[in-house]
C-alpha cells in the first residue's frame, strides 16, 4: 500500500467551534471524525518537552505525551509543555506514563502501601492531565507472570478508573503482549464484568506480538475502544512507519467506524523502527488521508 498526501489534518477547539486544519485552508463546522496524531514516545530518548517541541515544529497538531520520568508529569515540565501547546495550537489527547512496568508490583499487588504510593502518583498525573487538557490515561496493567487474579485486577482497575473520573480522565486498558491484557480473552472478560467502565487502547504492534488479529479486537471490544496506537508492519517486522509495510489501514478504519469510534489514532513507533523524525509526520499525513477518504 502506497499512499501519499501533502496535507495534514487535526482538530482544534476555538470558541466552541471545531476547525479542520490542513496545509492551506480552514473549514469551519462541527466535525464528527477520528483524529490523527503522534506520540512523543516515538522520539525516545528525547526528553518529553523536547520531543513535544520537535513534533510541534513539524506541524503535528494532535499529540500524546509519554512521560519517561516522574518529573515529566510534574511542574515545571508540564507548564513548559503547556506554553508550547498554546504557541502551536496543539491538542494533547492522552498521557502515557513510564511507570507501566511497575504496575504489577504496585497497583496490582496486594500490598497496601505500594498501592497507595501508585495511586498518589497517578492522581498527581491526573491533575497534570487536567492542565494539559489530556483526557485519556494509558494503562498497561499487571504482567502475565504476576499472581494477580481476575477478581483483584478488576477491583484495582475500577479503583483507578474511579479516581480518574474525579478528574475528568478516562483510564483505558492497553493490550500489551507481555501483560495479562495481551490476551483478547482477558480484555473480553474486563468488558463483560465492567461494562462501559472498561475502556481500551488498541495497539496494533502489540496485537501482532500477541499473534492476534487487530480486527478481532474491534469485533469483540467494539464501542469500548477509545484510542489506538498505530504502526505499520510487513511479514518480518511488526512495527514500521505508516506506508512502510503492507497493513490494510482502510480495513481497520472501516471496522472502527462501524463501531462508532471517534477517538484518536496515535502513531507510536519504537525509535529503532524508523529513520528520520519526518517519517512520523509522513505517517500521520498518510493516515489522515485515509481517514478523510473513508469518513
Amino acid at each position: 500500500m502506497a499512499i501519499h498526501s501533502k496535507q495534514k489534518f487535526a482538530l482544534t477547539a476555538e470558541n466552541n467551534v471545531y476547525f479542520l486544519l490542513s496545509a492551506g485552508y480552514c473549514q469551519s463546522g462541527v466535525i464528527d471524525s477520528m483524529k490523527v496524531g503522534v506520540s512523543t514516545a516515538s522520539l525516545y530518548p528525547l526528553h518529553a518537552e523536547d520531543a513535544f517541541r520537535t513534533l510541534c515544529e513539524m506541524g503535528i497538531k494532535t499529540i500524546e505525551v509519554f512521560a519517561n520520568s516522574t518529573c515529566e508529569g510534574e511542574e515545571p515540565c508540564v507548564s513548559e509543555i503547556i506554553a508550547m501547546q498554546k504557541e502551536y495550537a496543539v491538542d494533547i489527547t492522552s498521557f502515557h506514563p513510564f511507570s507501566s512496568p511497575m504496575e504489577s508490583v504496585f497497583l496490582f499487588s496486594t500490598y497496601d502501601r505500594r498501592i497507595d504510593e501508585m495511586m498518589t502518583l497517578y492522581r498527581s498525573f491526573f491533575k497534570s492531565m487536567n492542565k494539559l487538557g489530556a483526557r485519556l490515561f494509558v494503562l498497561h496493567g499487571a504482567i502475565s507472570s504476576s499472581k494477580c487474579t481476575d477478581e483483584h485486577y478488576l477491583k484495582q482497575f475500577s479503583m483507578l478508573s474511579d479516581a480518574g473520573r474525579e478528574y475528568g480522565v478516562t483510564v483505558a486498558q492497553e493490550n500489551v503482549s507481555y501483560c495479562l491484557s495481551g490476551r483478547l480473552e482477558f480484555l473480553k472478560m474486563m468488558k463483560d464484568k465492567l461494562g462501559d467502565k472498561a475502556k481500551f487502547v488498541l495497539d496494533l504492534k502489540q496485537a501482532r506480538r500477541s499473534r492476534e488479529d487487530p480486527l478481532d479486537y474491534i469485533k469483540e471490544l467494539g464501542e469500548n475502544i477509545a484510542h489506538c496506537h498505530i504502526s505499520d508492519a510487513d511479514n518480518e517486522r511488526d512495527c514500521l512507519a505508516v506506508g512502510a509495510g503492507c497493513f490494510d489501514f482502510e480495513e481497520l478504519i472501516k471496522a472502527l467506524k462501524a463501531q462508532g469510534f471517534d477517538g484518536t489514532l496515535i502513531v507510536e513507533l519504537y525509535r529503532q523502527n524508523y529513520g528520520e523524525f519526518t517519517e512520523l509526520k509522513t505517517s500521520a499525513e498518510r493516515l489522515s488521508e485515509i481517514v478523510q477518504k473513508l469518513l
Side-chain angles (χ1 to χ4, degrees):
M1 177 175 61
I3 298 171
H4 303 280
S5 172
K6 293 183 179 180
Q7 295 180 323
K8 55 181 177 290
F9 299 87
L11 290 174
T12 184
E14 182 176 318
N15 299 326
N16 297 319
V17 178
Y18 287 98
F19 296 93
L20 177 63
L21 302 177
S22 74
Y25 67 91
C26 178
Q27 176 182 333
S28 64
V30 177
I31 309 285
D32 181 17
S33 178
M34 303 176 196
K35 291 182 286 185
V36 175
V38 180
S39 171
T40 62
S42 304
L43 290 81
Y44 182 88
L46 287 187
H47 292 162
E49 65 274 23
D50 296 329
F52 192 88
R53 179 174 292 281
T54 300
L55 292 177
C56 288
E57 290 175 347
M58 287 196 296
I60 303 299
K61 292 295 183 180
T62 302
I63 297 176
E64 175 173 297
V65 171
F66 190 106
N68 274 302
S69 69
T70 303
C71 71
E72 291 178 353
E74 298 176 341
E75 296 294 353
C77 187
V78 169
S79 288
E80 185 175 348
I81 291 174
I82 290 172
M84 289 184 279
Q85 179 187 26
K86 293 178 179 178
E87 178 183 356
Y88 290 93
V90 168
D91 179 27
I92 300 176
T93 60
S94 42
F95 183 92
H96 195 324
F98 74 98
S99 46
S100 297
M102 300 157 49
E103 288 163 358
S104 291
V105 295
F106 279 77
L107 181 62
F108 290 95
S109 75
T110 56
Y111 197 75
D112 58 344
R113 285 177 171 169
R114 289 203 301 265
I115 293 170
D116 289 345
E117 286 177 5
M118 180 150 278
M119 287 297 295
T120 298
L121 175 63
Y122 281 6
R123 282 182 180 275
S124 73
F125 286 160
F126 295 158
K127 291 178 183 178
S128 294
M129 289 174 67
N130 276 180
K131 296 178 183 179
L132 296 166
R135 298 165 293 281
L136 185 137
F137 182 87
V138 181
L139 182 79
H140 281 194
I143 60 174
S144 298
S145 60
S146 72
K147 297 180 180 180
C148 185
T149 64
D150 289 355
E151 181 181 8
H152 187 63
Y153 197 100
L154 295 174
K155 175 176 173 288
Q156 299 305 98
F157 179 89
S158 293
M159 177 174 65
L160 185 65
S161 177
D162 290 343
R165 292 187 183 196
E166 293 174 14
Y167 296 88
V169 169
T170 296
V171 174
Q173 174 70 66
E174 184 173 26
N175 61 296
V176 181
S177 60
Y178 58 83
C179 292
L180 293 173
S181 62
R183 295 184 294 109
L184 179 53
E185 289 300 318
F186 183 83
L187 301 180
K188 288 168 60 178
M189 180 275 295
M190 289 185 66
K191 180 184 177 183
D192 290 342
K193 298 292 186 181
L194 297 178
D196 189 58
K197 182 181 286 187
K199 298 299 184 183
F200 301 103
V201 178
L202 172 57
D203 188 302
L204 300 186
K205 61 185 172 299
Q206 292 295 333
R208 297 171 189 131
R209 293 182 178 190
S210 296
R211 302 194 180 281
E212 300 268 15
D213 185 342
L215 296 181
D216 288 339
Y217 285 83
I218 299 172
K219 177 182 177 182
E220 298 294 342
L221 304 179
E223 69 281 0
N224 288 47
I225 296 175
H227 194 70
C228 291
H229 283 160
I230 299 296
S231 59
D232 208 337
D234 58 24
N235 292 332
E236 297 180 354
R237 296 165 294 178
D238 58 23
C239 181
L240 295 170
V242 175
C246 55
F247 184 75
D248 191 338
F249 287 103
E250 288 197 12
E251 187 177 20
L252 175 81
I253 292 167
K254 286 178 181 177
L256 287 169
K257 180 184 176 184
Q259 296 290 345
F261 178 82
D262 62 355
T264 307
L265 307 174
I266 290 289
V267 175
E268 185 191 66
L269 305 178
Y270 298 130
R271 188 62 189 90
Q272 68 269 24
N273 294 122
Y274 71 97
E276 301 298 323
F277 288 158
T278 52
E279 292 182 43
L280 299 172
K281 179 181 179 182
T282 302
S283 290
E285 289 174 343
R286 289 172 172 167
L287 193 60
S288 293
E289 185 177 81
I290 300 170
V291 169
Q292 294 304 315
K293 181 174 73 172
L294 296 177
L295 300 182

